[in-house]
Amino acid sequence: MASNSWKSKVLLNVLSYLDYKTGKFIIVGSKRVGSLYRVIQLSIIGYLVGYVFLSKKSYQTKEESIQSTVMTKLKGVAVTNTSEFGQMVWGPVDYVIPPQGEAVFFIVTNFIETPNQKLGNCAELWGIVPQSPNVPDGHCKGDEDCAEGELVVAGHGVRTGRCLRDNGKSNGTCEIYSWCPIERRCQPQDRHKHKNMLREAENFTIYIKNVIRFPKFSFSKANVQDTADKFHLKKCRYDEALEPYCPIFRLGDIVNQTGHSFQDMALKGGIIGILIGWECDLDRDPSECQPRYDFTHIDVNVSRESSGFNFRHARYFKTGSGESYRTHFKVFGIRINIMVHGKAGKFCIIPTIIHIGSGLACIGGGAWFCDWILLYLMKNREFYKDWKFENVKNSTTEDVKQTPEEQQLTDPSPEV
Amino acid sequence: MASNSWKSKVLLNVLSYLDYKTGKFIIVGSKRVGSLYRVIQLSIIGYLVGYVFLSKKSYQTKEESIQSTVMTKLKGVAVTNTSEFGQMVWGPVDYVIPPQGEAVFFIVTNFIETPNQKLGNCAELWGIVPQSPNVPDGHCKGDEDCAEGELVVAGHGVRTGRCLRDNGKSNGTCEIYSWCPIERRCQPQDRHKHKNMLREAENFTIYIKNVIRFPKFSFSKANVQDTADKFHLKKCRYDEALEPYCPIFRLGDIVNQTGHSFQDMALKGGIIGILIGWECDLDRDPSECQPRYDFTHIDVNVSRESSGFNFRHARYFKTGSGESYRTHFKVFGIRINIMVHGKAGKFCIIPTIIHIGSGLACIGGGAWFCDWILLYLMKNREFYKDWKFENVKNSTTEDVKQTPEEQQLTDPSPEV
Amino acid sequence: MASNSWKSKVLLNVLSYLDYKTGKFIIVGSKRVGSLYRVIQLSIIGYLVGYVFLSKKSYQTKEESIQSTVMTKLKGVAVTNTSEFGQMVWGPVDYVIPPQGEAVFFIVTNFIETPNQKLGNCAELWGIVPQSPNVPDGHCKGDEDCAEGELVVAGHGVRTGRCLRDNGKSNGTCEIYSWCPIERRCQPQDRHKHKNMLREAENFTIYIKNVIRFPKFSFSKANVQDTADKFHLKKCRYDEALEPYCPIFRLGDIVNQTGHSFQDMALKGGIIGILIGWECDLDRDPSECQPRYDFTHIDVNVSRESSGFNFRHARYFKTGSGESYRTHFKVFGIRINIMVHGKAGKFCIIPTIIHIGSGLACIGGGAWFCDWILLYLMKNREFYKDWKFENVKNSTTEDVKQTPEEQQLTDPSPEV
C-alpha cells in the first residue's frame, strides 16, 4: 500500500511534466505601447522574412572557397618589320609566355631586342646618354672612379677598373665585364618602340576554359557546356550583351572594356585582370549557375622602372666553337591574370534556425523595451507596476527581512 | 534627517534591483498541449546537441581560407624511337614543363616535332589535305584570292599574294610568309602519334610536398612528417588503402583512379586535378589532421581544337652565320593541377553562444506556438484566455476609455 | 443594426490587437537568486559588448576570400668564377626562373653545370663512386646484369646491354643510352659547390607589387600607394620597424628574418614564404588598411634527394650539322612563394541582430536557470512554486480529470 502510494506519486510527478505551463499576462489598455510593440514585432518579422531570407538568402549555408582550374589557348598571328631584323612572324608559340596555357600569362605586344650578347668587356652606358637615374654611378673621370671588381648598383656587370673616355673628353664611362653589348635603351625611343609593336595583337583571341568546384557541396561546373554547339564555340566572340557565355575573348575588346586604349597599353604594357565570378544558388537548377566576366586594369603605375609592365628574358645560343652568346629581349605586353571567385549557397537548417531564433529573441527584446517604457516613462507607471509585479508575501524569506518601507515600495499589489 | 531618509530611499532602490523577478505562470491541465511543448523542447535540444554540436561541430569557429605551398618533383625516364629523329631519351628535364616544381605542371606524353623551321615563304596548307576547318581560307584559285599582307584567320603567317598551284590543277594554296615549313599535321595521323608516345610515362612518379597553414589559428602542417622514415618515403607509392599518406604517386595510378585509360590520355592529353583536402579539428591532436587525396579528370572536351590537352612551344637555334631557325613542338600530355582545400575548426565561445541562444529562442517560439494552439484552437480557449490574461482595471488609463463592450470582451478575468 | 454591431465587433477585435500584453511577474525577495540573475545578465551584456562587439567586431560581415595579383621584379648582379667556365655574370634574366614576374619564382644561388651533353652511350655512374642510393642498380659484373632495353629505376636512360668494366676489375657499370656524359655529382662536392655560388645574391632586391580586392565589398587596394613618393620607392628597403610599407626587399634580409643563415640556404636551396596579410576594417578610412609582411621558411627537409630545394633544367643547342646537344643545369636556390591572405569587415545589420538576439536569448536562459535554482534548490521552494504557478481551476478540462491528489499537488495557490 505504501509502495503503491509511492508509485502513484512518481507517476503524478511524471504526469505533471506534461502539464502545460504558460506565462500569465496582463492586458494593458495603453494603445500607444501596444502599437509600438506591434510595430517592433512587424519590423523584425519583415526584416527577417524580407531582408534576411528573401533578399540575402540567409537560410542557405554558403561556400566561398572555390576550387578552380583554368586552361587558356591563344590564336592569332602578328607581323613586325624592323630594318635590322627584317620581317618577323609572331605566333602564339612566340608571344605567349609561358606557353602552357595557364591562368596567368603574358602576351608580348612590343619588344626591344639586343642580339649577339657575349660575355666580355664594354661600357656600362650605351652611347652618349644623359645621367641615367637607373645607373647613377656609371660615369667616371678617371680609372680611380671605377674600382675593379665592384658591382654597380642596379647595373649590368662587374667593373674592370678602367674608365673609357672618348678622345679629349673629361667625362667617361666605367668599363664592365658583362653580357656585351649591354641592353639597348633605344634612342630615339618612341619611334623605335612603335616600329616593333605587334599591331595585330588587338585581334588575338583568348579561349578560356574554367572548371570550378565547390568542395562543400561537391558541385562542379564549367564555363563551357559540354552540350554546347561546338561549331558555334569556334566562331563566337564574347560580348557582354549578345554573347555573355561565349568563352572566346578578343584581346582588343578586353582592353577596351577596362577603359584603356589598346595602342597605349600595347606600347608600354599593363596587367589586366579577368574576373570570373560564379554566384550559384544550388537550390535552383544548376543550369542557372553561370559565370560573369569582368575586366579590370590592375594599376602598376609605381614601379621602379616606369609605368606599364615589362620583363626581360634571353635566348641562349652557342657558336660552332662552343662559345656562348645570347639574344636579350625586353618585352612589353599585357599580362592577363584570370581570377576566379564565387560563392554557392544551399538550404541548410542551421543558419535558418539561427536567424529565426535571433529574430524571436529580438522580438522578446522589443517586449522588454516596451515594458521599460510602460514602467518607467508612462504617466501611470506606478499603477502598471503594481499590476505587473506581484510581491511574494512571506514572513520566512531566508535572506532578507523586508523593512516596512521596502514593503511599501515593492508591495502595493492590488490583489491585497 | 531628511537627507538620511533620502539616502535610505536610494539604498532601497538599489536593493530592489537585486530582487529576483520571475514570470508568473499558470498550469494548464491540458496534457495534449503540454506534451506538444515537451516534444518541441526535446526536438530543439536534440537538434542542438546532436546535430549542431556533435555532428556539425558548430561550437567551433571555422577557417576555410587555407594557405598552401606545393613543391613537386618527378622521376622517371622514357624512350621514344622515331625513324626520323632516332632514339630519344626523355628525363624530367625534358618532359616536365615548367621544370621548377610548381603546383601546376605539364608532363609531355606525346609530341609532334617540326624541326628546322625558318622564316620564309611556303604554302599555308601542308601537302594535299581536305579543306581544313582550322584554316578555312587557305585555298585559292588564283593570286587574286590571296591578298598580299593579309593575315589568315587562325593561320600561321602573312600572305605574300601568290597562289601556289600544282601543274594543271585549278585549286591551290595561298603562299604565306611564316616559319616554314609550317607545323606538321601528321598523316597518317594515328600511327605516327602512337610512335612518338612516351609509353613509359605510366611509371613516372610524382613526389608532392604540401605545406599548409591556417592563418586564423597560426597552424602549419605538411603532408610529409619530418619524423617520418626517410628510407620508407623513398620507396613507397601512394595507395588509397595501404599507403594513404605516402606522398609519391605513380602517374598511371593517378590516371586510372580518375576512371580513364592511361594510353588514351597519353595520346590526346588531359587535365587531371589532384585534390588535397585537409579537414582539421584543432581541438584534437594535430597528428590527426591528415590530408586526403582525390583525383579527378577535368574535362576539356569542348576546345577549339579537339578533345585532350596540348600546347605548342619552340626551341630557337642559330646557324653559324647567325640565321635563326627553330624546332617547333606540339606537345600532348597530362597537365596536373594540384588543388589544396581545407578547413579547420577550433572551439570558440562566440558560435557556441549563438547556437545556444538561437536554440533557447526557438524553444521560446515553441511556447508561443503552443499558446496559440491553446488560445485559438482548443475547445476551452475562452476559459484559458481568461486565466492567462488579466485585464488591468483602471479608470484613469491615459489614452483609451474602455467601452462596456470592450470591457466585456477583454476582461472576463475570473478573479473578479 | 445587426450589421453595425458586427462591424463594431470586428473593430474591437482589431483594436484588441493593439492592447499591450505583458507578462505578469512575481517579485521574490531572495537577494541571492536576484544577485545571481544580475551577475548572469551583466556577464552576458559584458561579453556581448566587450568581447563580441568591441574586441571581435562581430557587428561586421566578414570577407575572407581575397583576390590578389602579384607582380615581382628583381634587381642585382652576381659574378661566378669557375676554372672551367671562367667568369660568368648573372643578371635577373639568368637567375630568375620563370622570368615573367610571377608570385612564385626561383632565384638561382648555386648550380652544377654539365655542358655538351649529347644523346649516346655512356656509363650510368659517373667515375668511381660508392654504391649510389639513387641508382641502386647501376653496378654489374657482366653483360647479363644489364638487360638491353631496360630502364633503370630513377636512372638516366635505357640500358644498352653492355657492362663497362675497367681492365681486370670485377665490378663495372652498365652502359646506358642517354644524354652523355650524365649529370655531374661534383666530387669533391663541397668545395665545388661553394665555388659556383652566387655570393652577391644576398644583395638582390625584390620589388613586390600586390593589388588585392575583396569582391564582396568591391574594395581594391595596392601595397604601393599611387600617391607615394616615387623617388623614395626607388631607394627604400623594407624594414619591419623603420620602413614597414616599403615594397622592396633585400633577399638576405628576408632569409635572415626566417632565422636562417643566407650562406647555408644559398648553398642547398630552400623555400621561403612571403606572407602578405591584409586585415581591413572598412568602417574606417581605407588608408588604415595596410599590408603586413611575414617571412617563413617552408621546410622541405624530407625530400627524395636531400634537404634544400633544387631542380634541373637544360638549354638546347644544335651544331652546324644539325646535331642536338644541351647544357644541363642542376640549380639550387631560393624559391619565393608570395602568399596573400586577408580579411575585411564592414558593418552589417544581419550579424549584429544575430549576436544581439543570441545574447538576449541567453539572458532568458539565465532567467530559466535562476528559476530552476529558486524552484528546486531553495529552502522555500514549495512556497515559491505556489506563487509562481497558478493552477487553472476548471471542472471542464477536456482531457484530464484531476484526481484529488493531483489537485493537492499542483494547486496550492495561495489565492484560494
Side-chain angles (χ1 to χ4, degrees), chain C residues 303-367:
Chain C
S303 92
R304 281 197 282 178
E305 287 286 279
S306 61
S307 63
F309 184 74
N310 61 70
F311 67 88
R312 293 166 175 89
H313 73 105
R315 284 182 193 149
Y316 292 83
F317 306 102
K318 283 201 178 178
T319 61
S321 60
E323 203 190 350
S324 286
Y325 65 104
R326 72 180 191 185
T327 300
H328 180 279
F329 292 92
K330 180 176 183 181
V331 288
F332 301 80
I334 297 169
R335 177 164 134 189
I336 305 277
N337 264 42
I338 299 175
M339 287 181 280
V340 181
H341 64 107
K343 69 175 175 211
K346 202 174 193 172
F347 172 76
C348 177
I349 188 71
I350 293 181
T352 310
I353 292 280
I354 284 180
H355 283 105
I356 292 177
S358 302
L360 289 174
C362 285
I363 291 176

Side-chain angles (χ1 to χ4, degrees), chain B residues 15-33 41 62-65 67-79 86-90 93-94 99-103 113 115-116 200 205-207 209 211 213 215-216 224-226 228 230 233-235 237 248 315-318 325 327 348-351 353-358 360-361 376 378-380 383-384 387 389-390 403 405-406 409-410 415, chain C residues 8 12-13 15-17 19 21 24-31 33-35 37-38 47 51-52 56 58 64 97-98 102 104 106 119 134 136 151-152 154-158 177-179 271 275 298-305 309-314 316-319 322 326 328 335 337 339-341 343 354-355 358-359 361-362 365-368 370-371 374 387-394 396-400 402 406 410 415:
Chain B
L15 273 178
S16 82
Y17 270 100
L18 296 183
D19 279 338
Y20 183 57
K21 296 179 191 90
T22 180
K24 196 173 171 76
F25 279 72
I26 56 168
I27 297 176
V28 177
S30 169
K31 301 283 185 227
R32 276 197 223 161
V33 179
Q41 211 176 25
K62 296 282 198 298
E63 164 76 289
E64 292 190 11
S65 67
Q67 277 177 6
S68 156
T69 311
V70 171
M71 198 272 287
T72 53
K73 195 158 212 165
L74 275 90
K75 293 249 165 176
V77 179
V79 177
Q87 210 177 18
M88 276 177 69
V89 173
W90 295 74
V93 164
D94 311 286
Q100 65 262 25
E102 300 204 348
E113 188 176 345
N116 295 319
E200 294 89 355
T205 59
I206 306 171
Y207 167 77
K209 169 95 182 182
V211 182
R213 187 167 166 268
K216 194 188 265 178
V224 186
Q225 265 67 52
D226 293 334
K230 285 193 184 192
L233 280 181
K234 270 174 209 248
K235 293 281 170 203
R237 289 292 170 275
I248 300 173
R315 284 181 194 149
Y316 292 84
F317 305 102
K318 283 199 178 180
Y325 65 104
T327 300
C348 177
I349 189 70
I350 294 180
I353 291 280
I354 285 180
H355 283 105
I356 291 177
S358 302
L360 290 173
Y376 290 90
M378 300 292 276
K379 213 164 54 184
N380 297 11
F383 171 78
Y384 290 129
W387 272 91
F389 297 113
E390 192 175 321
T403 64
E405 271 158 313
E406 201 178 290
L409 193 82
T410 58
E415 284 95 343
Chain C
S8 80
L12 277 175
N13 246 318
L15 274 177
S16 81
Y17 270 101
D19 280 336
K21 295 179 192 91
K24 196 173 172 79
F25 280 71
I26 57 168
I27 297 176
V28 177
S30 169
K31 299 284 184 226
V33 179
S35 308
Y37 180 64
R38 289 293 171 202
Y47 152 82
Y51 183 70
V52 176
K56 291 284 173 184
S58 295
E64 293 191 11
I97 299 171
E102 300 204 349
V104 179
F106 178 85
L119 281 171
N134 292 304
L151 290 167
V152 182
H156 300 93
V158 57
Y177 179 82
S178 176
W179 288 94
I271 303 184
L275 309 173
I298 294 164
D299 198 1
V300 284
N301 264 344
V302 183
S303 92
R304 281 197 282 178
E305 287 286 279
F309 184 74
N310 61 70
F311 67 88
R312 293 166 175 89
H313 73 105
Y316 292 83
F317 306 102
K318 283 201 178 178
T319 61
R326 72 180 191 185
H328 180 279
R335 177 164 134 189
N337 264 42
M339 287 181 280
V340 181
H341 64 107
K343 69 175 175 211
I354 284 180
H355 283 105
S358 302
C362 285
W368 180 90
C370 291
D371 275 4
L374 192 77
W387 272 93
K388 185 172 170 71
F389 297 112
E390 193 175 321
N391 217 8
V392 171
K393 295 174 298 286
N394 64 327
T396 58
T397 325
E398 85 277 29
D399 39 12
V400 179
Q402 291 192 326
E406 200 179 292
T410 57
E415 283 96 342

